[in-house]
Amino acid sequence: MDQIILQILNGLDKGSAYALIALGLTLIFGTLGVVNFAHGALFMLGAFCTVTLSRLLGISRTVIDETRTDFLGNPLKVEIPYLYDWFGEATGAAIIDWAVPLSIIFAIPIMISIGVIMERGLIKHFYNRPHADQILVTFGLAIVLQEIIKYYFGANQIPAPAPEAFTGSFDFGAAFGAKAGAIIYPYWRIVYFCFAMILIGAVFAFLRFTTFGMVVRAGMADRETVGLLGINIDRRFTIMFGIAAAVAGLAGVMYTPINSPNYHMGMDFLVISFVVVVVGGMGSLPGAVLAGFVLGILESFASMREVIEFLPGINQVVIYLAAIIILLTRPRGLMGRKGVMED
C-alpha cells in the first residue's frame, strides 16, 4: 500500500507538468486551430526565466576581506550581492533564496509578450494552411529557440534550487498516524502539484466566469457568428495565445528545482504533451488535464522496479501503448468533440 501511494504521488507530480503543457496546447488549438510544435520551447523559456532572474539577483561587487586569507596568506576577494547593500544581508539573502517563486512575477509579462509576438509575427500567416505546414514551421521555430538558449546559456544543466524552506521531504506516514518513514515525498514536488491545481483552476475560472472567457469560448464554438456581432475575436484569440504561452512558461518556472533547466528540456516534454492532448481529445481542455494525470500515474506505476523486472523497458513506452488502446476504443480521445480534426 505504501508503494501504491508513493507511485500515485509520483504520477500526480508528473501529471501536473503534462497537464499544464497540454492545457496550453489545447488552448491554442481550440482557439486558433493551430498545431503548435513550439509549445515545448515555451516551457523551456519559462524555466530559463528563472535562470535569468537568479543571475540578475546574484549580480555582485568584489570586495577585499582582510579578515580572511587564502592558502598563501593573501586577503580573500569576496563577492557581495548588490541586494545586500540595498536591502540588508538578511533580506537580500532571502530574496535570492526565493528566486524561483519570484520568477513567477518575472515570467508572466515576458511569456505573454513572447506568445503575442509569436502569434502576430508568424502563426497568423498559417491559420488557413494545412496542419502539416503548421507543424513544420512551429517545429522549426522550436529548434531556433532551443539553439538560441544553447548559445547564451550553454549546453549543460543549470541548477535552480528551491527555497531553503522547501528543501527536504514530508513524512506522510508520521503526519497521518501511519508508520513513520514509510511514505516520504519531497516538499517541492508537493508544492508543484498544488501550484498546478491553482493554475489549472484559474484558467478554467477565467474561461467560465469572465466576459472575456465567455466570448473566447463562444468564438471557439462558432468564430464567424461572434465576428458578425462586432467583436474583434482575432484580438481576443491573440491574447489567449499569450495566456497559453504564460501557462507553459509558469509550468517551466516551477519545474526548475525538480529538473535543472537545459536547452533541450522543451523537446523532452513536447512529444508526450501532444500524446496527452490527443488522448484527452483534440480541443478538449478538461480532457487534456484528465489525460495528463492519468498518463502521469500510469507512467509512474510502470517505472516501479517490480514492473520493469517483469517487463523491461515498459516505462519508456507505456504512455504510447495506453494512447493506442484508448484511441482504438475511443477514436476522439477521452473527452474529444465531434468534428475536431476529422475532416
Side-chain angles (χ1 to χ4, degrees), residues 234-291:
D234 289 338
R235 179 180 299 173
R236 292 173 186 260
F237 282 176
T238 299
I239 295 173
M240 286 307 301
F241 197 104
I243 292 174
V247 170
L250 293 180
V253 165
M254 295 294 283
Y255 205 73
T256 50
I258 298 174
N259 184 14
S260 297
N262 57 77
Y263 74 97
H264 57 78
M265 67 185 301
M267 291 296 184
D268 295 341
F269 278 90
L270 177 63
V271 175
I272 293 178
S273 62
F274 264 97
V275 173
V276 171
V277 170
V278 173
V279 169
M282 294 297 289
S284 172
L285 297 177
V289 175
L290 175 63

Side-chain angles (χ1 to χ4, degrees), residues 178-192:
K179 181 181 177 182
I183 306 173
I184 299 177
Y185 206 69
Y187 282 120
W188 190 257
R189 291 180 180 268
I190 299 173
V191 170
Y192 188 80

Side-chain angles (χ1 to χ4, degrees), residues 100 157 203 207 309 324:
V100 174
Q157 291 185 325
V203 171
L207 290 173
E309 288 177 354
I324 292 171

Side-chain angles (χ1 to χ4, degrees), residues 25-332:
L25 268 172
T26 306
L27 276 174
I28 292 174
F29 181 80
T31 54
L32 301 173
V34 174
V35 182
N36 180 23
F37 259 65
H39 202 71
L42 297 175
F43 177 80
M44 172 200 64
L45 291 176
F48 277 92
C49 283
T50 302
V51 173
T52 302
L53 182 64
S54 297
R55 291 185 176 182
L56 290 175
L57 294 177
I59 294 176
S60 59
R61 58 185 177 86
T62 304
V63 298
I64 303 298
D65 187 350
E66 299 289 348
T67 63
R68 300 165 62 188
T69 59
D70 58 20
F71 69 97
L72 294 176
N74 300 316
L76 279 178
K77 293 182 179 180
V78 180
E79 299 293 328
I80 306 295
Y82 284 109
L83 287 177
Y84 288 12
D85 298 330
W86 299 339
F87 301 104
E89 184 174 349
T91 304
I95 292 174
I96 294 174
D97 183 43
W98 284 75
V100 174
L102 290 174
S103 297
I104 294 174
I105 303 172
F106 179 70
I108 288 175
I110 293 176
M111 295 308 303
I112 290 177
S113 300
I114 290 174
V116 170
I117 292 171
M118 183 186 299
E119 193 273 339
R120 288 288 86 190
L122 180 65
I123 303 298
K124 72 173 185 178
H125 301 293
F126 290 84
Y127 287 160
N128 298 320
R129 301 281 289 272
H131 289 305
D133 292 355
Q134 297 171 0
I135 292 172
L136 287 173
V137 73
T138 54
F139 187 75
L141 177 61
I143 293 175
V144 170
L145 293 174
Q146 177 177 285
E147 291 304 313
I148 290 174
I149 292 296
K150 182 180 178 181
Y151 176 80
Y152 284 102
F153 291 93
N156 297 324
Q157 291 185 325
I158 304 174
E164 187 176 352
F166 294 102
T167 56
S169 300
F170 179 72
D171 191 335
F172 280 91
F176 295 103
K179 181 181 177 182
I183 306 173
I184 299 177
Y185 206 69
Y187 282 120
W188 190 257
R189 291 180 180 268
I190 299 173
V191 170
Y192 188 80
F193 171 72
C194 294
F195 172 80
M197 291 297 95
I198 293 172
L199 186 55
I200 290 170
V203 171
F204 277 94
F206 174 74
L207 290 173
R208 184 172 181 82
F209 299 114
T210 67
T211 303
F212 186 98
M214 292 178 186
V215 172
V216 167
R217 285 192 293 118
M220 291 168 67
D222 193 339
R223 182 171 183 162
E224 292 184 4
T225 301
V226 173
L228 291 174
L229 295 175
I231 298 173
N232 190 341
I233 193 65
D234 289 338
R235 179 180 299 173
R236 292 173 186 260
F237 282 176
T238 299
I239 295 173
M240 286 307 301
F241 197 104
I243 292 174
V247 170
L250 293 180
V253 165
M254 295 294 283
Y255 205 73
T256 50
I258 298 174
N259 184 14
S260 297
N262 57 77
Y263 74 97
H264 57 78
M265 67 185 301
M267 291 296 184
D268 295 341
F269 278 90
L270 177 63
V271 175
I272 293 178
S273 62
F274 264 97
V275 173
V276 171
V277 170
V278 173
V279 169
M282 294 297 289
S284 172
L285 297 177
V289 175
L290 175 63
F293 285 111
V294 168
L295 294 181
I297 292 173
L298 187 61
E299 183 182 21
S300 178
F301 276 100
S303 300
M304 295 177 64
R305 177 171 53 83
E306 295 83 358
V307 176
I308 294 177
E309 288 177 354
F310 182 69
L311 293 172
I314 187 63
N315 58 315
Q316 302 295 323
V317 299
V318 66
I319 286 181
Y320 307 103
L321 291 176
I324 292 171
I325 294 171
I326 291 173
L327 293 177
L328 285 175
T329 55
R330 296 182 62 88
R332 296 192 182 105

